[in-house]
Amino acid sequence: MSADLSRRTLLSRTAAVAGATVLASFTGNVLPAHAAARPAEAQVPGGTVTGRPSLNGWETEKSADDGGNIWTRPVPGTPLDGVQVRMGDIETVLVHVVQRFHYEVDPLRRDDVVGWRHPATIRNELAESNLASGTAVQIRPGFYPSGQRGGFFSNQLVIVRDILADLEGVVRWGGDDKWPDEALFYIDAPPEDGHLTRVADKLRTWAVTPGKGAGASADPFQRDRRRAAQRLARRQA
């Protein structure tokens, strides 16, 4: 099947660069050397930061690809041109979310994912404010309108829950919020959170280990995985 070929291709390519300083995307973009080794946040010029946090505590920024912490990053194995997210651990985690969605929930098209948005364009009281700090993505926001539930089939929801369980609670799905946004996935950990770093390190190890990570063959419908996903869903409710 084409999906299986796609997954095997990703695994073989990522395994081939284990320990290397770059990872090539399928769109021709290349990660800089420091991105493979948990990059530190950039030193941000005063004109980029706002001094105001998003709902999850990370500082919002006025621009992307402009010397700050938020840059357009490739999403290997997808047709996306890239997604604007916060560099470092957050990039690792959110790119994993997008990859698994593409492989297992529904194939994405070129413009299906929104990352950073300017603070002036979002509602600060809602979880979408996390987009302004580069700590969230919206996947197909036109398909899953903010304020509405029921956009996913039941089997797709099982996979969404499994993705969240793999990330051990450092990502929250907007569909679980009081004001639902089923397109939204955002970091649910404050700055300097050690658990976020440990999860990101796990994903980086998976990315260079055959049979692990996004595109691997783990069965989200397997009993133990479903139980773990259900436990996390209850905790995040």
Side-chain angles (χ1 to χ4, degrees):
M1 294 176 64
S2 60
D4 289 334
L5 289 173
S6 154
R7 294 173 184 177
R8 287 196 295 270
T9 300
L10 174 68
L11 289 170
S12 63
R13 292 195 178 191
T14 53
V17 296
T21 57
V22 295
L23 288 172
S25 81
F26 284 48
T27 59
N29 294 319
V30 177
L31 285 166
H34 64 274
R38 199 171 70 227
E41 289 193 351
Q43 295 299 312
V44 183
T48 302
V49 298
T50 65
R52 298 187 301 274
S54 57
L55 203 62
N56 61 5
W58 294 80
E59 188 169 21
T60 59
E61 298 191 16
K62 300 175 186 177
S63 60
D65 299 321
D66 190 29
N69 294 307
I70 300 167
W71 293 84
T72 300
R73 308 307 302 138
V75 186
T78 77
L80 302 173
D81 287 336
V83 59
Q84 292 179 323
V85 292
R86 199 174 197 91
M87 292 282 286
D89 293 338
I90 288 174
E91 172 193 349
T92 298
V93 169
L94 293 181
V95 165
H96 179 84
V97 171
V98 176
Q99 287 178 310
R100 281 203 62 186
F101 191 103
H102 173 70
Y103 296 139
E104 300 175 53
V105 178
D106 206 16
L108 298 173
R109 296 170 299 186
R110 182 175 179 179
D111 299 317
D112 275 349
V113 179
V114 176
W116 173 85
R117 285 171 51 192
H118 193 281
T121 69
I122 58 179
R123 292 169 287 185
N124 291 329
E125 73 278 7
L126 298 180
E128 71 177 48
S129 73
N130 300 318
L131 292 164
S133 61
T135 61
V137 292
Q138 285 180 315
I139 302 177
R140 289 186 171 165
F143 282 71
Y144 313 113
S146 179
Q148 298 184 25
R149 301 186 193 274
F152 289 92
F153 294 110
S154 58
N155 63 319
Q156 292 176 318
L157 282 175
V158 169
I159 299 169
V160 167
R161 296 291 181 195
D162 189 73
I163 295 171
L164 298 175
D166 258 358
L167 300 175
E168 302 177 19
V170 302
V171 169
R172 183 175 174 87
W173 177 46
D176 286 332
D177 291 344
K178 184 176 181 180
W179 178 267
D181 187 344
E182 293 190 335
L184 186 69
F185 295 83
Y186 60 92
I187 297 297
D188 194 23
E192 310 301 328
D193 185 277
H195 186 50
L196 171 62
T197 296
R198 288 189 292 274
V199 170
D201 282 342
K202 176 182 76 172
L203 297 180
R204 282 185 279 266
T205 299
W206 284 0
V208 293
T209 304
K212 294 286 188 180
S217 57
D219 180 6
F221 294 88
Q222 195 268 339
R223 181 185 300 175
D224 289 343
R225 293 184 69 92
R226 290 202 67 176
R227 286 176 176 171
Q230 289 163 357
R231 285 195 299 270
L232 177 63
R234 288 192 295 269
R235 195 162 75 243
Q236 291 186 320

